Every structure is written in C-alpha cells, then in structure tokens.
Amino acid sequence: MLNRAVLNRTLVTRTLLSGVAAGVLLIAPSAPAVASVTGGASGSAGVSGASGVSDIPGATAIGDSVRYQQQWVLDMLDVEPAWSQSEGANVTVAVIDSGVDPDVSDLKGSVITGQDFTGLTTSSSNPHWGEHGTWMASIIAGHGHDDGSDGIIGIAPEAKILSIRVIPDMNDPGYHTYDSEPEQQIQRELADGILEAVKAHVQVISMSIGYSEPSGYVRAALLKAYQAGIVLVASSGNSGDNDERRSQSLAPVSFPAEYPGVLSVGAVNMSHQPTSFSSGNLSVRIAAPGAAVPAEGRDGLYYTVDGTSPACALVAGVAALIKSKYPGISPATVIQALTTTASKQSSSSGDYNFLTGFGIVDADAALAAAGKLMRKKTAHSQVSLSSHFGKGPAAVPAAPVTPRSGSQLLEFAALALVSFAAAAGGLAVVLRRRRDPRPGAGSVIGNGPGLAPETGP
C-alpha cells in the first residue's frame, strides 16, 4: 500500500482458464462463455480485490448460474435462515469507495448517489468509473432481476446503498492525478465522505479501502460516526503475502481498519481457511469469504472477486440485517453479536487468530445473539422509580440533635475563644522554660551545641 490509499486490487490481466484461477470471474449472462479477470493489492491507491480470467462452458454463463456460484458464500455465512428475520429493510449502507453505478440490473432502485469528493472530472458514464464500488454494492444489497430469480442476491437485499466516492479505480482516467495529490488531501477526502454518511443518517458504513498511515481528520470523522450509532466496517488489507512488509509474522496494519470502533475483516476461501493475501494482524476481528465471491460489475457482467474487499462488504451486509431487525442497537453491541457467534472453523487453536479474528461470520447466530443482548441491555427493573424500599420516607427517623439557637451558638463561640487563649498562654510558658538562661546561649531552644543535657525538671 505504500503510503497511499488502496482499493487493494492489482491491474486487471487476461488469461484463459480451464478451471477457475484466483480472481475476478466475468460471467456474461447472455453469452455462452465466461471471462474472468484478476486483481490483488498493488499501487498506492486502489480497491480490495480482484485477479485472473477464464472461459467457462456455456451452461455456467446463464443468469441463474450466478446464483448457483454464489451459494457457497450464502451457506458459509448462514445467511438464508437469517432472512426469515431480516432482509435489511429500512437500512442504508454507505459504500465509501470508487462510486456505484445505480443503473445495473441487480441494484436498480436501491442506490442513492452521494457526493464525489475526489475532485476528478471523470464522468460517471466512463466504463472505468465506479468499477470496484459497484461490485461491493451488489455484494451488500443486490436484489437480482427478473423478479429476483436471476443475478446477484446481496446479503441485505432490501437495504439501500448510499454511494460516496472518495477514490478512483486504477483504470480511471483521473487516477494518476489523484495519486499525485498530497497525503493530507486524500485523507481529508475520506474524512469528508464519512461525515457525509453521518449527515445522511446511514446505519452502516462499508469501507473496502486502505491507507497505510493514520489521520486525525479521519479518526475524528469515524468517532462522530460511531457516536451517531453507525456500524463501521473495513477491510484488513491484502498485504498478507507481501514478505517485504511483514513484521514478526504480522502483516502491516491498514487504516481505517486499525482505528478504534471499526470492525476489521479478514478473508477466507471456500475451505474456511485464511487466504494467502489477507493481511493478518491484531486489528482483525472477524472473517468472511474473500476468494471467488460473485458480484455484478457496472458493465452488466458478473465477476468473482478476490480480496478483503468482498469480505468487508459481506460483513457490512450482515450488520445491515442486524440494524434492520434492531434499529436502536449500538455499534458495540452489533460487533459483540458478530464476534461472539463467529464460527471457529478457520482458527488453528484458541478463540482468536490474527488472520481471521474470532472466526467466520454467522449471520443467523449473530441476529439471535443481537436479540438476546438487546433484551439484556434494555431489561428494566420491575420496581417503579417512584417506589420506596421499606416504609419509604415515613420510616426515616428524626434527626437526633435539634438545631441550636442563636444564643447557644454565641455561648459556644465564647467557650472556643477562652480555650484558644488558655492554650496560647500555656504554649508561651513552655517556650520560656525551654530557653537556656546561660550567657552565650543566644536564642537556642533545648540543648544547643556544646551544652550539657538538662537534668532538672
């Protein structure tokens, strides 16, 4: 990540696949073949996620095959049972990313277009505008098309997406201009995006982006969001297989994932094991699928995406389910529900693993835990606040000493003065007796230098 912002994705390359390589699988619903594209972490500004390209037999290219290829993700996260309780209605998730195309089939009607803080002039009609952001939004809130039977079904299909653009994709015509901006400026753009989400009263913020340095502006904005009750989710980064940047087996931390109050997400594969690229460090709290995760692109094609970016988006979707079911739940309680119910299948030992945190998200269990936590926190005493223990005020005994009158106070004051005068006189007598009467003794009290001890009374 150098010292810039990243979307954690390498430049797209094209190869033919007989199987499926790591990366982005392009699935053309109306075509007899599938192209796949690859990406990973590289450069100084980018997105979490993609790599490789393949052709797949025509039978897998139709729309419903997208849902079929997505099934393993839904199963691993136990999402379908959770939908009986919540599908994300009345929740808005801010996707702070490279922009989201509101016109793709599986997101139509679900996207609110917010501000673009990049300062670039790239038109939203450019095919390289909002590539990564559109993928992430479809993973969170895709609702499919043709009555929902085809295409991507997001984790929270009834949720809305607020698109806030703070970073361009690497193929964006304005990328090189952005990449030459001062560090402080690009951090301010992220902070402004977070504050925009707060102003819009969103319930969840998804940040599949990473910066290698902290920023006071960003931290202050995140604190404001947290205090507003917004669940903050970020990708942990894709530096796991970068040996040059590892320190004592830990990958470098990434911001905003490292900030307090932010839920940092690592990536696992279909076998529930950490991916090689997922950044393993002590900021990681939880994990989700991050290899071959299906998503819809802004070109209407379908991709499978690698990286901690899709893992972050999946967890943001689960957070949206919880916030929909329990609107008043705090961010801390949402995180508690997610981490305490996570599956430990990926951990080699113990309850915590720096690659996968406390385990893989379990949406159904997290919803159930959130309900229990809410009932526990909101349970009120059966005793009315106006009630009294015992016999109430009538049972309080009268004061044992009656208030003193003015004349009594004068008598006490006179006695105090007499006592003080007597004490002062006694002290003066003692001092006089302690002075040495012999010549040359000066004003020394007690046994001065060269004098014998007193023996008399």
Side-chain angles (χ1 to χ4, degrees), residues 308-388:
T308 54
S309 274
C312 168
L314 290 166
V315 174
V318 177
L321 297 181
I322 296 174
K323 289 290 283 187
S324 173
K325 179 72 173 178
Y326 305 105
I329 193 169
S330 70
T333 306
V334 172
I335 292 175
Q336 183 180 358
L338 289 167
T339 55
T340 57
T341 59
S343 165
K344 304 298 188 295
Q345 296 180 61
S346 66
S347 296
S348 57
S349 63
D351 292 330
Y352 180 83
N353 182 305
F354 64 79
L355 289 167
T356 57
F358 293 99
I360 301 170
V361 169
D362 184 323
D364 191 45
L367 265 170
K372 292 178 181 177
L373 290 169
M374 286 294 286
R375 287 190 291 273
K376 181 178 179 180
K377 291 178 183 295
T378 59
H380 60 276
S381 171
Q382 299 301 309
V383 180
S384 169
L385 292 177
S386 60
S387 300
H388 301 283

Side-chain angles (χ1 to χ4, degrees), residues 3-18:
N3 63 344
R4 310 293 301 184
V6 297
L7 293 169
N8 296 333
R9 186 191 60 174
T10 59
L11 294 175
V12 173
T13 60
R14 285 187 169 276
T15 59
L16 293 179
L17 299 177
S18 54

Side-chain angles (χ1 to χ4, degrees), residues 190-228:
L190 172 59
D192 290 343
I194 294 167
L195 294 175
E196 172 75 4
V198 175
K199 188 187 303 183
H201 304 291
V202 305
Q203 287 74 37
V204 181
I205 293 178
S206 179
M207 298 171 284
S208 292
I209 53 180
Y211 300 70
S212 61
E213 300 293 335
S215 162
Y217 296 117
V218 175
R219 182 165 182 161
L222 288 169
L223 177 59
K224 190 167 185 177
Y226 187 86
Q227 291 173 336

Side-chain angles (χ1 to χ4, degrees), residues 94-133:
V95 175
I96 298 183
D97 209 289
S98 65
V100 177
D101 185 345
D103 297 322
V104 297
S105 60
D106 299 345
L107 285 171
K108 194 174 290 290
S110 295
V111 179
I112 304 163
T113 300
Q115 289 195 54
D116 182 343
F117 291 98
T118 64
L120 302 176
T121 59
T122 305
S123 170
S124 59
S125 62
N126 187 288
H128 299 301
W129 184 99
E131 292 175 308
H132 186 270

